[in-house]
Amino acid sequence: QMCEKFTVCENSMEMLLQNNLNLPKVTEEDGFVNDFLPFLSFQDKCLRKISSGLHTFQTYLKFIQETFTSENQNLESLSYSTEQLAHTIKEMVIDPEEVIMPDAATQESLRTKLNSSKKTWIGKITTHLILRDFTSFMEKTVRAVRYLKNTRSFS
């Protein structure tokens, strides 16, 4: 829909140049080894990173929700579900207090930065990048949770 509505496409050079969003990612350093062996020896570290990333994505999802007002109900549901998942995964961490939560000042600064470009071409690119990276983050989250389901006992 992004490509059709805003002519923002995957191979757009402008899109690649403007990706300075610092969106959350789960990497090998966080214990996510690869597609087949999600975080064998760093389960707790990976869970902290996932929970923290999901909390961080909340600000970005709010921006998307404000941008696509026609999809408000779907995006509100996505935001709520993401928040619930972040909380659930935080509770799975050995010491939930170790999960890094974005502070209010950081969130407000990010919100201001995102909103300043909302109506421009860069804003459209930003929306596309957020959705793309959120999808990738959620794919890794699903793999991690499935792996845990098979190796840990859930209470």
Side-chain angles (χ1 to χ4, degrees):
Q1 283 181 327
M2 285 292 296
C3 193
E4 292 172 15
K5 186 173 182 178
F6 298 121
T7 36
V8 176
C9 299
E10 286 291 333
N11 58 359
S12 169
M13 187 57 85
E14 292 90 350
M15 184 170 71
L16 298 174
L17 294 174
Q18 295 299 326
N19 190 1
N20 59 355
L21 293 173
N22 198 25
L23 292 161
K25 296 188 182 349
V26 181
T27 64
E28 189 172 327
E29 291 80 35
D30 303 314
F32 195 93
V33 178
N34 62 38
D35 289 347
F36 305 105
L37 301 170
F39 62 90
L40 289 175
S41 58
F42 301 101
Q43 292 179 5
D44 203 61
K45 181 178 181 181
C46 190
L47 288 174
R48 285 193 309 267
K49 180 71 175 212
I50 288 170
S51 183
S52 176
L54 291 170
H55 283 291
T56 300
F57 265 114
Q58 287 300 107
T59 304
Y60 292 103
L61 291 175
K62 184 70 174 167
F63 168 76
I64 301 291
Q65 189 175 352
E66 292 167 357
T67 302
F68 285 103
T69 54
S70 64
E71 294 294 323
N72 190 42
Q73 188 173 0
N74 290 334
L75 289 164
E76 192 173 304
S77 175
L78 177 65
S79 183
Y80 176 77
S81 298
T82 301
E83 184 179 350
Q84 292 304 305
L85 180 60
H87 177 73
T88 300
I89 291 176
K90 181 178 179 181
E91 294 303 312
M92 294 169 61
V93 173
I94 292 169
D95 183 3
E97 297 301 315
E98 290 183 2
V99 172
I100 298 170
M101 304 287 285
D103 60 69
T106 302
Q107 287 176 317
E108 188 55 38
S109 172
L110 177 58
R111 217 174 281 124
T112 301
K113 177 184 170 187
L114 291 170
N115 285 329
S116 70
S117 67
K118 187 184 283 188
K119 303 267 188 232
T120 67
W121 171 253
I122 291 171
K124 294 169 185 168
I125 301 268
T126 298
T127 300
H128 179 79
L129 291 171
I130 292 168
L131 291 171
R132 185 194 67 187
D133 284 14
F134 180 72
T135 300
S136 175
F137 192 89
M138 288 306 298
E139 287 170 352
K140 290 179 179 177
T141 297
V142 167
R143 277 189 231 125
V145 170
R146 280 187 187 148
Y147 178 79
L148 274 178
K149 183 179 176 188
N150 293 326
T151 60
R152 273 187 174 180
S153 60
F154 288 100
S155 53

